[in-house]
Amino acid sequence: MHKFFVYAFLAVFLTGAFFAAAERTASAQDLAAISPGDATTKINTKNMPLYLDEGLVTKNADFGKFARVRARSLDRNHRMARNRMQITRQPDGSYRARYHAIDMDSIVTKVRRSSSKTVPFVGVMRFCELVMEATAESPAACKKAEFKPVTVIPNRQIFSFRKGAWQ
């Protein structure tokens, strides 16, 4: 009989605790305000967690697309691009072909808010430029040869979001 009252009391107590917790739902700003320090801190763009800053998330996605387009343009318009490769004759009579290419898999982007009123966001694009090289017996054979990377050149470009576009 004693176990019955203990189990009944536990059931009522636990059910009440679940209902009390479900009664108050936390909004996104309530969750952001919960921190080890002062829980009454106002939420703004400077102290907001990154996962709650929707403006920064959308600009990060936009900048990622912009960076890919920009890298393809850099690859296509490089003065030492594949269609403008440099072919030189070696002292032994063979030919060496060399060109530069952007490694699209190495592109890393990061966007952060700026303190400027005219430029609210700044984006950084990092990528690697590969120097590709092949040797063959003739210039025509060089163009068809298998190219291998001989040098990796790290690059970093900084862009600002101004007047609704990345510049």
Side-chain angles (χ1 to χ4, degrees):
M1 184 76 172
H2 179 24
K3 287 184 181 178
F4 175 75
F5 287 117
V6 171
Y7 289 136
F9 176 74
L10 282 175
V12 170
F13 178 73
L14 291 176
T15 305
F18 287 128
F19 283 124
E23 185 176 311
R24 183 180 180 274
T25 58
S27 68
Q29 285 192 347
D30 290 339
L31 290 175
I34 297 171
S35 66
D38 183 18
T40 61
T41 305
K42 294 287 186 190
I43 301 301
N44 58 31
T45 57
K46 292 182 181 174
N47 65 358
M48 184 179 295
L50 292 179
Y51 64 90
L52 292 179
D53 191 354
E54 292 177 11
L56 190 59
V57 170
T58 58
K59 290 299 179 254
N60 204 353
D62 291 344
F63 185 67
K65 293 175 189 172
F66 168 81
R68 293 242 176 247
V69 170
R70 179 73 178 200
R72 281 193 290 273
S73 175
L74 288 171
D75 191 35
R76 190 175 51 252
N77 296 325
H78 197 287
R79 69 179 183 88
M80 294 277 297
R82 185 174 182 125
N83 58 355
R84 292 184 288 279
M85 72 175 69
Q86 180 184 33
I87 301 175
T88 56
R89 188 174 181 143
Q90 301 295 84
D92 64 352
S94 65
Y95 290 87
R96 180 183 70 193
R98 185 179 277 184
Y99 71 92
H100 292 228
I102 305 293
D103 182 11
M104 296 296 174
D105 295 332
S106 70
I107 297 173
V108 177
T109 61
K110 184 176 182 180
V111 176
R112 66 172 178 79
R113 285 193 178 272
S114 170
S115 60
S116 170
K117 297 207 185 282
T118 58
V119 180
F121 299 97
V122 175
V124 178
M125 175 176 75
R126 295 178 188 267
F127 61 92
C128 292
E129 181 180 340
L130 303 174
V131 178
M132 307 295 284
E133 190 174 278
T135 57
E137 297 301 318
S138 69
C142 274
K143 291 182 180 181
K144 296 177 184 173
E146 181 180 339
F147 286 84
K148 295 183 180 174
V150 293
T151 308
V152 177
I153 304 168
N155 283 279
R156 179 178 66 182
Q157 294 186 353
I158 301 171
F159 298 92
S160 59
F161 187 78
R162 190 178 317 184
K163 297 180 182 175
W166 288 103
Q167 300 175 2

